[in-house]
Amino acid sequence: MDFFRHFNNSCSNKSLMELLEEHGFTRRDFLKWSSGMATMLGLGATFAPSIANAVENNASNTPVIWLHMAECTGCSESLLRSDAPTIDSLIFDYLNIEYHETVMAASGHQADENLENAIKKHAGKYVLLVEGAVPAGSSSFYLTLGAKGHTGEEIAKNACANAAAILAIGTCSSFGGIQAAAPNPTNAVPISKITNKSVINVPGCPPSEKNIVGSILQILLFGTMPLDNFNRPKWAYEHRIHDYCERRGHFDAGEFVESFGDEGAKKGYCLYKVGCKGPYTFNNCAKQRFNQHINWPIGAGHGCIGCSEPDFWDSMRTYEEPLKSHLFQSVFSGMGADAMSDKIGIGVLTLTGVAIAAHASIAAIKKDKE
Amino acid sequence: MQKIVVDPITRIEGHLRVEVIVDDANVVTDAYAGSTLWRGIETIVKGRDPRDVGFMTQRICGVCTYSHYRAGIEAAENALGIVPPKNAKLTRTLMNAALYMHDHCVHFYQLHGLDFVDVVSALSADPAKAEAEALKWCDKPLVCGVGELKAVQEKLKTFVDKGELGIFANAYWGHKTYRFSPEQNLVALSHYLECLKVQRTAAQLMAIFGAKQPHPQSLTVGGVTCVMDILDPARIGEYKTKFLEISDFIHRAYLADIKMAAAVYKNEPSVMNDVGVDNFMCADEFYLGDDYLFKGGIVTNMLSNPVLGAIDESKITEEATRSWYKNDKALHPYDGEQEPNYTGLKDEKTLNAKGELEDSKVFDMNGKYSWIKAPRYDNLPVQVGPLATIVVNYLAKNPIVTKEVDALLAELNIELKDLLSTLGRTAARMIEAKIISEHALKALDNLVENLKVDQSTCAPYKIDNSKEYKGRFIGNAPRGMLSHWIRIKDGIVQNYQAVVPSTWNASPKDANGKMGTYEACLIGLKIEDLTKPLEIIRKIHSYDPCIACAVHVLDKKGNKLGEYKVGV
């Protein structure tokens, strides 16, 4: 909680509740939101009062620096989609976004000044959010920024050194992402490779607006959060897509889409045979979906491509075919998952059970490897 | 003589630097636009399954998040000789409509708007007068009632009183070339905030058939996967409702504000008379079931001797004389061949924000200076984007476009040549959005009609590993004409090139010394205050730069990538 001691110094005099009241929000609205937030973060309703308390006392005017490294701006775009309860975006208003190239008004020298000043003024107090991988080492020249031509690596190192917390937003900053896919021509690395500090990874290509905002909130509210082996917040990345998938019943019943556009596709059958990587992918898409819950890839008839997993651009290809049997060698002596699913029929529950166990083991193996 | 460096150019996608030389009267005499980031996605897609390419090229950009996805998918379809079913083509149009309406609104308000709108000035506006001002430009203005404007002003005041200006800090507020009255600034600010809400809805519009936005996921080589969504009447209703909501914003805010801006800024030199490159090109776009909403073509010498013609794709080349790659030959995209050759920045003193000379790193003005290559059409630089779409279609006498353009010119009392400018680029983007918002629903109606007789969404195909294929996608993205070029051999990608809108516009000089569009439009620009080059930002933003898109490439020569067999 060191973070909050520093952080409190930079808060405005008004409490958040006072500010919210000025905007027409009642204490009742606020507590309702806190309880919603507690549920979303997987903390249960008993945490609602702690959230309310933490928000009231702490979560206004948090200095935030958002850096763009080698990226496509998709994560910033995802952040802009955040709405959830209106009060949620209000919380956002109360973040003090000191630097964010996509939305900030200043340019050129003035933008550089904003970054330098923010790092100095809020040293040790700001939350650093990084979008994009970092071309590193002898390849760092693939990204330079500002009139002084600093490399992205230099800028990111400096910003990391003074940050209270570092969140890697998206698969590129978490694991390297697309530019780090083979043969990684720019030696792009995740932000965690250029700093000794711990980095919270919020992967996804892009992560949903809920996972970005939820993760920022959790670090603000508690200063810490439970993480998995890949440093992903457990509240969002603890379960596989497969665990809560709306098409799971069809998997269990052995009903599969055999090719896009077939009768099974019209009936919403399981997408496993057309390449869905849901069983190997840890994310809450099945529960939270995207764009205020309106849809998600499996809902739109396309399998998961595994975008929140390390190296998925290489390890999950071909995206529209099931993973080949080589991944399963150690578990099933070469019997691939697609071979399995062919044999799964309605009511053959034991086999289904075996298939699921296989997925779980694969996940465990992958984790141990890292 | 003085050198000004603007880096980073913010409120764009990607990493862009502009350097200009100004004379003693602060007039720009030379300009250099370059990108300072290279990612190498075309190298990465080589050796992969052609069905995977669309998903990877999509990650070229999270802003034109649908354009490169569709381009990657359709380039493969073109190469393999696949014609997707009509339902798939219409669904793709609906997703594209969502992208354009989203992108253009966000560009004007969140990215470009602050070049016209002095946020701080809105604090001193009289909300009642501001309401009257809004009524001048629209008889039913959105969120411009006196009460609503007061609330916006109070919100701003609370924000400013906190003493932390956040994203609004340290901008060029109070600059002499800001021309809106406080009331006009307040009206635009109210729409800025409203657009933050509307863009969420526009993103949902894409997600209805696209799964999510950014980075939708419902296209596949051969068609679309969202068959359940297009057969779901609730989804159709949802699409129509949200579409009309965004259309309403375009008519009651975006159109009104463009008219207001044009009336006020048409005498501001930094937004006029800067066509830059006067060759314009666009592709056929927005398939509606029978025809395309916008027609493709190329217009050369628009200022002196306009000639409209059809695009001959064999005349498209890219070269890298001034870009950080080895080859200096102009090559057709099918044969694109290049290797990185970073020659670095040079040490020099340039003017800082305080007006003092400071140690800086600058472009090598005699050598290579950008990761962006120089595409040319028959050796000519070409301008692409909504203005190109409007110019080409106006000259081609597309009745929908001519009607909109003539109406706007008459209302603003300006001529067609006045549209060949920063103001025109900004207005053309709105016209494009307005036309889409009024006509794209025809694709939805035709989709429903077609589903009654045919529910197919994917065309079957086989990839023959013993055959060689080549094909391309040519269409428009929100920033202009986009093409992807693919060669397939042994069932895997052998070569891949993307020639994108911002590559055309942000191109560096070529072997003949011809400037790209960004550079050319800056020549002759007078800069009021060299430490606050708002005029440069304003012009560059009018193209809606998308720089990660623009920096594509490349083929490390002789680099053997791991082979991956396609299972068919």
Side-chain angles (χ1 to χ4, degrees), chain B residues 2 52 77 87 98 101 162-163 179 188 197 208 220 255 261 300 318-319 330 342 358 370-371 416 465 523:
Chain B
Q2 188 60 256
D52 281 357
E77 286 172 351
N87 293 329
M101 294 199 290
K162 270 196 324 191
R179 287 179 170 245
K197 295 180 198 162
I208 289 170
T220 183
L255 168 63
T300 50
E318 287 195 296
E319 62 151 279
Y342 185 66
E358 190 178 76
S370 181
W371 289 113
L416 186 63
N465 287 0
I523 305 301

Side-chain angles (χ1 to χ4, degrees), chain A residues 303-364:
Chain A
C304 164
I305 62 170
C307 77
S308 50
E309 297 305 305
D311 305 325
F312 81 97
W313 289 115
D314 292 324
S315 64
M316 300 284 190
R317 67 183 183 174
T318 298
Y319 314 122
E320 295 179 350
E321 280 183 15
L323 287 179
K324 296 297 183 191
S325 53
H326 65 272
L327 267 180
F328 290 79
Q329 286 289 352
S330 58
V331 186
F332 276 142
S333 310
M335 187 190 272
D338 35 346
M340 284 309 297
S341 49
D342 276 340
K343 290 177 185 161
I344 295 166
I346 296 163
V348 192
L349 292 173
T350 43
L351 262 179
T352 311
V354 172
I356 293 162
H359 304 146
S361 319
I362 294 310

Side-chain angles (χ1 to χ4, degrees), chain B residues 133-326:
Chain B
E133 177 67 29
L135 281 163
K136 277 194 216 165
W137 307 105
C138 176
D139 54 6
K140 292 171 295 214
L142 201 64
V143 289
C144 283
V146 65
E148 288 160 316
L149 292 170
K150 262 188 192 162
V152 168
Q153 205 175 29
E154 273 164 27
K155 187 175 182 142
L156 179 64
K157 192 168 181 311
T158 311
F159 184 68
V160 171
D161 286 349
K162 270 196 324 191
E164 303 280 3
L165 275 178
I167 61 165
F168 297 117
N170 210 9
Y172 305 137
W173 311 131
H175 195 278
K176 274 172 77 176
T177 64
Y178 275 124
R179 287 179 170 245
F180 275 159
S181 67
E183 285 72 26
Q184 289 167 328
N185 282 315
L186 182 58
V187 167
L189 183 64
S190 182
H191 291 156
Y192 176 100
L193 297 173
E194 186 67 11
C195 188
L196 283 175
K197 295 180 198 162
V198 170
Q199 60 91 24
R200 277 196 297 266
T201 309
Q204 288 186 312
L205 188 68
M206 182 184 288
I208 289 170
F209 299 124
K212 61 193 180 97
Q213 200 270 26
H215 295 335
Q217 195 169 315
S218 64
L219 304 192
T220 183
V221 172
V224 295
T225 65
C226 52
V227 56
M228 289 176 79
D229 294 304
I230 65 173
L231 288 172
D232 181 346
R235 281 294 200 203
I236 302 282
E238 215 171 353
Y239 186 92
K240 209 158 185 168
T241 306
K242 289 184 191 297
F243 184 98
L244 293 173
E245 198 179 318
I246 302 148
S247 176
D248 189 53
F249 178 82
I250 289 171
H251 286 80
R252 293 169 60 204
Y254 192 4
L255 168 63
D257 288 347
I258 288 288
K259 286 198 269 186
M260 180 170 82
V264 175
Y265 276 86
K266 70 180 179 183
N267 299 316
E268 163 56 39
S270 67
V271 298
M272 301 306 295
N273 308 320
D274 59 358
V275 63
V277 167
D278 74 339
N279 307 310
F280 293 94
M281 183 164 63
C282 71
D284 287 339
E285 195 51 86
F286 286 98
Y287 171 73
L288 298 178
D290 39 22
D291 203 359
Y292 290 91
L293 184 54
F294 300 113
K295 308 292 189 307
I298 178 159
V299 172
T300 50
N301 301 315
M302 180 64 192
L303 281 182
S304 50
N305 176 30
V307 178
L308 171 70
I311 297 169
D312 174 356
E313 61 187 72
S314 71
K315 291 184 174 169
I316 295 173
T317 57
E318 287 195 296
E319 62 151 279
T321 314
R322 309 299 299 274
S323 315
W324 285 312
Y325 307 108
K326 276 188 180 163

